[in-house]
Amino acid sequence: MSAKIKIGEAILSGTEGLAHMMTRYLENYFAAHERGTQPPPGLYNRVLREIEKPLLQVALKAVSGNQKKAAEVLGINRNTLRKKLNEHAIDLEKLA
């Protein structure tokens, strides 16, 4: 049986929510470091980069590569989307 988590207007189906999965992942990440040590600096930006690229790819694939529609779905400006596509070197031809 899968749970449904309402996020904004979208409903994600799965056995657990994204926040719960991220919490488990990060707890394991911190636990993997020796007692008394911490992960290297910059964890916040590393986590955001790891999540952002697949989010952009899946959104673009869902709208057949239409950047205007993807930007609307994501709730960001189309120019911001283009900037992020360049930053992540996302090939639009593979997503259309």
Side-chain angles (χ1 to χ4, degrees), residues 3-7 10-14 18:
K4 292 190 179 198
I5 299 97
K6 186 169 184 173
I7 299 178
I11 296 182
L12 303 176
S13 296
L18 179 61

Side-chain angles (χ1 to χ4, degrees), residues 3-5 10 18 22 25 50 60 62 71 74 90-91 94:
K4 292 190 179 198
I5 299 97
L18 179 61
M22 286 303 302
Y25 173 83
E50 288 290 323
L60 280 160
L74 294 167
I90 295 175
D91 184 358
K94 291 182 180 178

Side-chain angles (χ1 to χ4, degrees), residues 21-94:
M21 289 187 304
M22 286 303 302
T23 299
R24 279 197 1 241
Y25 173 83
L26 291 168
E27 286 172 347
N28 290 335
Y29 180 78
F30 277 90
H33 289 80
E34 293 183 30
R35 189 168 221 137
T37 65
Q38 297 176 359
L43 177 61
Y44 181 82
N45 287 327
R46 285 195 307 274
V47 168
L48 291 181
R49 277 193 310 269
E50 288 290 323
I51 293 172
E52 189 172 54
K53 185 173 182 175
L55 174 61
L56 297 171
Q57 291 172 317
V58 170
L60 280 160
K61 191 171 184 177
V63 294
S64 302
N66 185 312
Q67 292 180 41
K68 183 178 177 188
K69 288 181 182 178
E72 289 173 5
V73 167
L74 294 167
I76 61 176
N77 183 284
R78 189 167 53 176
N79 290 331
T80 302
L81 175 62
R82 287 181 181 146
K83 178 183 170 199
K84 292 181 177 296
L85 295 175
N86 286 330
E87 288 173 3
H88 292 288
I90 295 175
D91 184 358
L92 292 173
E93 291 180 13
K94 291 182 180 178

